Amino acid sequence: MASYIGTATSRVDGRAKVTGEAKYAGEFNLPGLVYGQVVGSTIAKGRISLVDTSEAMRVRGVIDILTHQHRPEMADSDDAYKDDTAPEKGSPYRPLYDDRILFCGQPVAVVLAEDWETARFAASLVRVEYQREAHVTDLHAQRGEAFAVEKPEKPRGNAEKAFAAADVRHEAEYFIPTEHHNPMELFGSTAMWEDDKLTVYDKTQGVQNVQRYLCGVFDLKPDAVRVLSPYMGGGFGAALRPQYQVVLAVLAARAVQRPVRVVLTREQMYALGYRPATIERLALGARSGGTLDAIMHEAIAVTSQFEEFSRNDTGWADLLYTSPNTKFVHKLARLDVPTSSDMRAPGAATGVYALECAMDELAIALKIDPVQLRLQCYSDRDQNTGLPYSSKQLRECYGQGSAAFGWEKRNPEPRSMRDDHELVGWGMATGVWEALQMPAAVRIVLTANGHAEVATAASDIGTGTYTIMAQVAADMLGLPIDNISVKLGDSSLPQSPLEGGSWIAASVCNAIATTAHAVRKELLRLAKRMKDSPLAGAAADDVTLADGKIVSTKDPGQAASIASVMQHGKVERIEREESNTFTEDKLHARNAHSAVFAEVKVDEELGVIRVTRVVNAVAAGRILNLKTARSQIMGSVVWGIGMALHEETLYDHHFGRVMNANIAEYHVPVNADVHDIEVIFVDEPDETINPLGIKGLGEIGIVGVAAAIANAVYHATGKRVRDLPITLDKVIQFE
Amino acid sequence: MNPFSYARASDVADAIRQIAADPAARFVAGGTNLIDLMKYDVEHPARLIDISQLPLKSIEETPEGGLLIGAMVPNSDLAYHPLIEQRYPLLASAILAGASQQLRNMASTGGNLLQRTRCFYFYDVVTPCNKRKPGSGCSAISGVNRINAILGTSDACIATHPSDMCVALAALDARVHVAGPGGARTVAFPDFHRLPGATPERDTNLESDEIITGIEIPAKGFNANYSYLKIRDRLSYAFALVSVAAALELEGDTIKEARLALGGVAHKPWRDPAAEAAMRGQHAGESAFTKAADLLLQGAQGYGHNNFKIGLARRAIVRTLSQAARGMPQSQSVKKIR
Ligand SMILES: Cc1cc2nc3c(=O)[nH]c(=O)nc-3n(C[C@H](O)[C@H](O)[C@H](O)COP(=O)(O)OP(=O)(O)OC[C@H]3O[C@@H](n4cnc5c(N)ncnc54)[C@H](O)[C@@H]3O)c2cc1C
Ligand code: SF4
């Protein structure tokens, strides 16, 4: 058993991707396809007073131009527009619904033409007039208006009092600017009506979410809508919510009675969701020996005027550190921008950044090694619920991470280590994320030739879901991996949750296990009917599937090949669909953890920062595939480097517009910014979390990276920069 | 992007004829800047005249001992050409500091000179911008101006010229060969690009019906003591916040001749003969370098987000001159600053 799980298996879809055989949402060339180009609003707030499409309509090849005044029917209740991940409170944005402008770049028209170039040109000729209203896009200007949202974590003790009485106090404000996801693949949708049935190819992390959403918006029955998203060029949370282009494609296809594709431009993707700019205030009170007495964490994050999107920025401290007194407050400030959204480790990437910088600052104030401080404050329970962890090998992460990094050679004194003109800094931070799982169903069709098709509606957003599912199925069914084909990204397949929150691996792989179990039971039933069956007396739990055979675990000599069993039973295929045995475990806290160590070299005169080394030691349950898992963590670390040093959506608050809405000027790390990244997976068997012991890896890798780098920059230079990104002018005061 | 017609120029004379005949036409060489600007609706040429196949792709030695570089030589070919690597490593280094390998493969020598500013507002047709729409105002002066200029600015425009290659060409005293309906002429590098003044819509003194045919660089290449240092917000593939081209001719530790040009700080590569003259005869060391930096940065002014560029430029100048003096030019592949 277990010959594929845990190995470094290459992607099963790798070939399709490099040959172009894998098709993405904007690549389905349906006959008679019409191309849609979105026209975005140029103001951030107000009303549309006029949309003049006359000149654009005169361009040869333009078929129609949809506006809020000229479009097919769509729903008029908030409920209809609430997708599975919509914030509880608020009115979701309705594309092309009415004359109100809620954010800059909001679609005000869609030009439909015979080809894309024509649509794009005609879009530039659509003239829109507005009645402007005063807008605000600056979080700092609006922080006074922020309001608190309800939080799951209740305050414990009296944090203010304990903080005031503490031997050593650290209090500071940290800032993370708005960041955009910038997945490589542009958002796009292709929609087609056939009679009253709708088929949509969409870039989405949840085909069934989009299906339900479209049923709401267009008042359709679920069986009339099929949504497909077989491959994705990156999601990172951007494609959790249905984006407006899918509505526009469906509206347009209805209007012109032809298939329609709408692909956004890179610039237009800056008018979708984003990681909200967040102000984080930390106050830590400690005893001089290095234990915490008070933790206060308050966050103020951006949301839109029309929805309240919030994620847990505060509260992570309760998972990591013991303190008798804690207080967590999360506030939102409304700006005239789109609703903020999930981005890789939402809440944690930002909140833990602030927490882990604050812990570093506290360690310095206490004159204690930062790793030592964390060990002294280490919590074996979720402090807030009091529950022990299903597993928590964080201590091992600190140990293995610091050993691999060589942490013991660190001179704690800032500016004490150098290499020529460069100051060398070593910093570290803790990472923590949730280990979630959701109900999911998987269908397995086993055919007599020893092949199996494994299917669920989940999306592979580029992480390797196809591959790990093939591995798990191959092991569970005792077949070579080449005999497994995985089908994903189709709303007509068995129910699956959205691909997000790092829960897909645990959810669908455990569903494979239950379904494979049902297949095995059926095989055993058939095997028992064979003449002189070697498995005549075997109970369901006494057999396993291996090497194409059904084998007795008590006596491996007693076996029958799957092919012969099916032949004798006269069945061509065995089809089973089961759900995972997901139950809410109320007795354990479930989290993934990590310890991140970073080395930076900072030019002493010029402030140029190079991240020369990162070690990320991760404890996240069972690692299904060492190769794709390592890629997840490496990619996360690279993103963490970007978060620390580069990423920032620049607004001109006067115009309420994003000024660097392209990937030349919105900086993410390039090869030159990335050096050695070492990924360590700490062994973490977890027998209670789920049958396969899976925690998920999509997000834990980014948490803590920016803090480790910021702490390293401080250690190198003696300059504490709390506002991200850490650019050279923040490190050095150039006079 | 607007519909446009496309034609290939058969030779230089044909190119000039075609451009002179149609004021709405534009030359396209590598297209790495022009096509982007068309996609952003900043440029709307009715006609593209493709000059990329013109026979201006050679690098030839001049009778005076310099080189004449054809306007269609791709940036990559130029950077890796043996004569450039040996005699003008400053130029090779500056080119390699710019853009990405893919872009340098496409970009032409002539096009590089004529690339337009990266000022955010210039690209965003919704906002006022004097360079894009004369008289509409300058949004950058009170807006997002981290990447904008600190020298030679005007009330009308604070844009920078973004080229790296041009900074080295300025330092090397290059001359631009151009041809037009009235014949051919050469333009000294300092006279090629303009300061914004009251007419920021004009980047250069090239006439609209003229074509760049080549760049001439004189014999002196400063291949022993030179460096190109580019400071930016990530370690590659970003435009310069500040860049410095430095070239020295030394006699022992004494400076016989010095060249110093800045990129990323003005509407053109920034040079000042006074700063270079002040180094002549001085000991090649920090005090001469600092003095030169002060002279070159005289009158520098920040606009808020870019105030730091003044101090950064000062330090970068001193460092680059020191690299040149030490014979340790900045590597463009190893990002550690020497
Ligand atoms: C993402 C990105 C990053 C970049 N980073 C850098 C960087 O870091 N440093 C840097 O220096 N550059 C950088 N560049 C700019 C690049 O160097 C220029 O785009 C390139 O040099 C332009 O050359 P081209 O041949 O493609 O010009 P084109 O785009 O073809 O033309 C540009 C202009 O010049 C005119 N033109 C071209 N050739 C002639 C001629 N012979 N005579 C008269 N007119 C002519 C055209 O009409 C047009 O107006 C970057 C570009 C991009 C897109
Ligand atoms: S600096 Fe120049 S290019 Fe930028 S907005 Fe002002 S006028 Fe336009």
Side-chain angles (χ1 to χ4, degrees):
Chain A
M1 262 288 279
S3 55
Y4 294 104
I5 293 176
T7 62
T9 302
S10 292
R11 283 171 189 267
V12 295
D13 52 342
R15 192 187 155 81
K17 283 188 169 170
V18 297
T19 56
E21 192 187 302
K23 276 209 162 72
Y24 294 78
E27 296 183 329
F28 289 88
N29 294 323
L30 308 173
L33 188 64
V34 171
Y35 296 77
Q37 176 75 18
V38 173
V39 180
S41 77
T42 57
I43 66 163
K45 189 177 186 180
R47 283 181 186 273
I48 303 169
S49 43
L50 175 81
V51 187
D52 178 356
T53 58
S54 52
E55 200 187 342
M57 277 305 291
R58 280 199 292 274
V59 175
R60 218 175 69 203
V62 172
I63 300 164
D64 200 357
I65 298 174
L66 304 187
T67 69
H68 68 280
Q69 289 161 323
H70 173 62
R71 57 155 172 84
E73 277 293 290
M74 50 205 283
D76 62 3
S77 78
D78 281 343
D79 273 353
Y81 292 84
K82 276 212 161 129
D83 71 280
D84 296 355
T85 57
E88 249 166 63
K89 290 192 185 160
S91 306
Y93 169 64
R94 305 175 187 182
L96 233 51
Y97 188 77
D98 59 19
D99 64 347
R100 281 175 20 154
I101 298 297
L102 301 170
F103 53 87
C104 208
Q106 171 185 329
V108 294
V110 191
V111 178
L112 302 167
E114 296 292 344
D115 58 69
W116 181 58
E117 290 78 5
T118 303
R120 188 161 174 160
F121 168 57
S124 72
L125 302 178
V126 173
R127 208 164 51 82
V128 187
E129 284 172 19
Y130 304 93
Q131 277 170 279
R132 286 168 189 272
E133 290 165 29
H135 63 255
V136 51
T137 53
D138 183 0
L139 171 61
H140 297 289
Q142 206 62 5
R143 66 181 292 177
E145 313 296 317
F147 57 95
V149 295
E150 234 178 273
K151 295 232 357 120
E153 301 85 5
K154 300 288 160 256
R156 289 185 295 109
N158 186 334
E160 264 106 4
K161 204 168 142 208
F163 180 71
D167 296 342
V168 176
R169 280 186 291 275
H170 166 69
E171 189 173 8
E173 217 168 83
Y174 302 81
F175 179 68
I176 303 97
T178 290
E179 298 169 355
H180 278 81
H181 306 74
N182 282 305
M184 193 92 84
E185 180 198 10
L186 300 169
F187 271 87
S189 310
T190 308
M192 173 175 62
W193 291 91
E194 278 168 318
D195 303 325
D196 282 333
K197 300 233 178 215
L198 174 66
T199 305
V200 178
Y201 298 93
D202 190 30
K203 176 188 173 90
T204 175
Q205 293 174 235
V207 283
Q208 291 174 330
N209 184 30
V210 174
Q211 181 199 31
R212 279 188 286 275
Y213 173 77
L214 292 175
C215 286
V217 174
F218 294 99
D219 192 19
L220 297 165
K221 297 263 171 314
D223 59 5
V225 182
R226 183 170 176 205
V227 179
L228 298 115
S229 183
Y231 294 100
M232 261 183 83
F236 312 119
L240 282 171
R241 295 190 74 177
Q243 299 294 1
Y244 66 72
Q245 91 286 340
V246 70
V247 174
L248 299 183
V250 174
L251 264 183
R254 182 161 257 183
V256 299
Q257 303 282 317
R258 282 167 65 179
V260 174
R261 173 193 296 166
V262 179
V263 176
L264 302 187
T265 62
R266 177 63 61 185
E267 186 182 0
Q268 288 169 344
M269 287 180 33
Y270 287 79
L272 304 177
Y274 51 89
R275 195 192 289 293
T278 310
I279 298 165
E280 312 259 358
R281 199 184 67 85
L282 258 296
L284 303 176
R287 300 196 182 166
S288 51
T291 52
L292 283 162
D293 247 347
I295 302 174
M296 288 187 280
H297 189 170
E298 180 183 307
I300 307 174
V302 171
T303 192
S304 64
Q305 299 285 4
F306 49 95
E307 281 179 308
E308 295 179 18
F309 173 87
S310 72
R311 286 291 177 263
N312 224 10
D313 273 74
T314 65
W316 299 101
D318 259 356
L319 301 180
L320 296 173
Y321 306 123
T322 53
S323 169
N325 306 289
T326 56
K327 188 178 165 195
F328 303 112
V329 180
H330 192 89
K331 291 182 174 176
L332 293 178
R334 292 190 187 281
L335 301 179
D336 297 297
V337 292
T339 304
S340 39
S341 75
D342 288 308
M343 185 195 283
R344 208 170 205 171
T350 44
V352 174
Y353 157 70
L355 171 66
E356 288 298 290
C357 288
M359 283 296 281
D360 195 65
E361 297 198 55
L362 181 68
I364 291 158
L366 286 163
K367 297 190 171 53
I368 294 179
D369 176 81
V371 177
Q372 184 58 35
L373 177 64
R374 284 160 175 89
L375 290 171
Q376 283 177 209
C377 301
Y378 196 91
S379 176
D380 284 314
R381 285 169 184 272
D382 173 343
Q383 294 284 302
N384 220 275
T385 59
L387 295 177
Y389 288 93
S390 65
S391 59
K392 181 175 181 175
Q393 293 299 322
L394 177 57
R395 237 185 263 278
E396 273 297 303
C397 294
Y398 291 131
Q400 292 185 28
S402 55
F405 188 82
W407 184 258
E408 80 285 353
K409 294 193 218 75
R410 179 179 185 263
N411 181 338
E413 202 53 43
R415 302 181 72 88
S416 62
M417 294 161 55
R418 64 164 60 235
D419 174 8
D420 269 338
H421 300 286
E422 290 182 324
L423 297 164
V424 179
W426 288 3
M428 60 81 55
T430 314
V432 53
W433 184 244
E434 294 158 343
L436 298 168
Q437 50 193 314
M438 298 285 164
V442 162
R443 184 177 68 215
I444 295 179
V445 179
L446 177 68
T447 38
N449 60 1
H451 282 253
E453 182 189 273
V454 182
T456 180
S459 301
D460 183 337
I461 66 173
T463 51
T465 307
Y466 278 107
T467 308
I468 56 165
M469 285 182 65
Q471 289 175 272
V472 172
D475 280 352
M476 297 291 161
L477 297 170
L479 297 174
I481 197 165
D482 291 344
N483 289 15
I484 308 288
S485 59
V486 179
K487 277 177 92 176
L488 295 173
D490 179 343
S491 63
S492 67
L493 296 175
Q495 179 274 328
S496 160
L498 289 148
E499 173 110 0
S502 299
W503 60 55
I504 275 289
S507 307
V508 299
C509 290
N510 283 296
I512 293 174
T514 37
T515 311
H517 183 76
V519 170
R520 197 174 76 207
K521 251 172 81 178
E522 175 63 4
L523 281 171
L524 180 61
R525 192 183 69 81
L526 296 174
K528 286 186 175 184
R529 295 203 322 215
M530 289 166 81
K531 226 168 85 194
D532 303 327
S533 172
L535 298 164
D541 288 335
D542 295 342
V543 291
T544 177
L545 301 177
D547 303 326
K549 287 182 265 187
I550 176 164
V551 188
S552 159
T553 44
K554 294 201 168 132
D555 177 2
Q558 303 297 310
S561 83
I562 292 174
S564 67
V565 169
M566 289 178 74
Q567 222 167 17
H568 272 94
K570 297 201 168 35
V571 291
E572 259 307 300
R573 61 208 298 272
I574 296 173
E575 177 175 334
R576 288 290 181 276
E577 180 180 325
E578 299 285 335
S579 295
N580 57 17
T581 53
F582 167 76
T583 46
E584 188 72 52
D585 176 0
K586 296 217 159 61
L587 300 177
H588 293 99
R590 299 177 301 270
N591 290 89
H593 299 89
S594 68
V596 190
F597 296 81
E599 174 182 87
V600 301
K601 295 190 174 176
V602 185
D603 188 89
E604 189 176 7
E605 289 169 359
L606 299 167
V608 173
I609 304 169
R610 301 188 303 129
V611 179
T612 44
R613 237 161 22 103
V614 176
V615 173
N616 198 346
V618 177
R622 178 188 288 219
I623 305 306
L624 293 166
N625 182 326
L626 283 174
K627 204 167 178 177
T628 53
R630 185 164 171 274
S631 292
Q632 279 301 301
I633 304 302
M634 281 222 295
S636 293
V637 169
V638 171
W639 200 340
I641 293 172
M643 180 178 173
L645 304 182
H646 309 125
E647 289 201 46
E648 177 172 21
T649 303
L650 292 167
Y651 285 90
D652 181 309
H653 297 305
H654 173 70
F655 296 111
R657 292 175 70 76
V658 175
M659 295 315 300
N660 59 343
N662 61 74
I663 45 178
E665 304 295 353
Y666 180 103
H667 289 168
V668 299
V670 295
N671 285 340
D673 297 296
V674 179
H675 292 256
D676 294 346
I677 298 174
E678 183 177 343
V679 179
I680 297 170
F681 290 114
V682 169
D683 206 26
E684 190 178 62
D686 191 322
E687 277 161 17
T688 66
I689 194 155
N690 53 51
L692 292 178
I694 302 168
K695 284 187 172 178
L697 275 172
E699 286 159 297
I700 180 66
I702 191 176
V703 187
V705 177
I709 293 169
N711 294 339
V713 169
Y714 171 79
H715 181 235
T717 63
K719 169 89 183 174
R720 178 63 67 173
V721 180
R722 302 189 181 95
D723 286 7
L724 297 182
I726 307 175
T727 49
L728 48 84
D729 51 313
K730 292 180 188 167
V731 175
I732 291 183
Q733 192 67 46
F734 292 106
E735 66 302 327
Chain B
M1 190 184 248
N2 59 303
F4 55 88
S5 64
Y6 169 92
R8 222 172 233 185
S10 54
D11 55 29
V12 171
D14 179 43
I16 295 167
R17 214 175 306 120
Q18 290 200 42
I19 198 100
D22 185 354
R26 289 276 185 289
F27 290 136
V28 62
T32 61
N33 191 212
L34 182 61
I35 305 294
D36 275 3
L37 290 167
M38 289 166 67
K39 289 185 190 164
Y40 280 94
D41 282 322
V42 176
E43 293 263 18
H44 314 91
R47 181 178 173 78
L48 287 188
I49 304 166
D50 184 350
I51 54 173
S52 64
Q53 304 306 311
L54 293 184
L56 301 170
K57 290 194 174 168
S58 61
I59 298 174
E60 283 158 22
E61 301 197 56
T62 62
E64 294 77 29
L67 292 179
L68 180 61
I69 303 158
M72 290 306 131
V73 174
N75 288 178
S76 308
D77 289 11
L78 184 57
Y80 296 122
H81 194 280
L83 287 177
I84 301 294
E85 285 182 331
Q86 287 152 26
R87 294 194 210 162
Y88 306 95
L90 175 64
L91 177 58
S93 183
I95 294 170
L96 294 178
S100 64
Q101 185 64 50
Q102 293 91 329
L103 282 160
R104 295 192 297 263
N105 289 344
M106 289 302 291
S108 67
T109 304
N112 193 308
L113 265 63
L114 295 173
Q115 62 173 296
R116 309 213 64 190
T117 186
R118 307 308 289 205
C119 175
F120 297 151
Y121 300 92
F122 179 68
Y123 274 79
D124 182 359
V125 292
V126 168
T127 57
C129 166
N130 287 325
K131 185 182 276 299
R132 182 170 25 77
K133 193 164 177 228
S136 61
C138 172
S139 301
I141 287 181
S142 57
V144 181
N145 56 33
R146 176 179 180 79
I147 64 169
N148 289 73
I150 51 170
L151 285 160
T153 55
S154 72
D155 293 346
C157 180
I158 60 169
T160 64
H161 190 257
S163 169
D164 290 294
M165 184 180 90
C166 290
V167 185
L169 289 175
L172 292 169
D173 272 347
R175 292 185 75 81
V176 186
H177 288 223
V178 308
R185 62 183 179 119
T186 70
V187 186
F189 217 79
D191 302 329
F192 187 79
H193 294 100
R194 295 161 57 100
L195 289 182
T199 53
E201 67 277 15
R202 282 202 73 181
D203 292 352
T204 71
N205 288 316
L206 190 74
E207 297 301 331
S208 61
D209 53 7
E210 284 183 313
I211 183 170
I212 299 177
T213 54
I215 309 285
E216 185 182 340
I217 36 179
K220 210 162 197 176
F222 300 91
N223 61 359
N225 294 94
Y226 72 93
S227 186
Y228 187 77
L229 178 62
K230 179 176 181 182
I231 309 292
R232 47 195 145 179
D233 273 331
R234 65 182 165 194
L235 294 174
S236 182
Y237 200 30
F239 289 94
L241 292 167
V242 167
S243 69
V244 188
L248 298 172
E249 190 181 327
L250 299 176
E251 236 171 33
D253 284 347
T254 305
I255 301 169
K256 235 179 110 191
E257 193 180 342
R259 301 281 177 82
L260 185 59
L262 299 182
V265 295
H267 205 256
K268 61 195 286 191
W270 196 253
R271 246 185 105 177
D272 182 349
E276 294 168 15
M279 283 189 271
R280 223 169 286 145
Q282 303 295 308
H283 172 81
E286 181 135 356
S287 95
F289 299 159
T290 307
K291 181 128 180 280
D294 287 340
L295 283 168
L296 189 57
L297 291 169
Q298 240 171 33
Q301 183 196 342
Y303 291 87
H305 300 156
N306 68 350
N307 293 353
F308 73 95
K309 277 192 178 186
I310 304 171
L312 175 63
R314 183 175 290 108
R315 293 192 189 193
I317 292 167
V318 174
R319 185 69 162 272
T320 316
L321 284 165
S322 141
Q323 292 178 331
R326 284 181 277 138
M328 290 182 71
Q330 179 59 39
S331 160
Q332 300 305 346
S333 49
V334 178
K335 303 296 175 177
K336 176 176 183 175
I337 299 172
R338 290 180 169 170

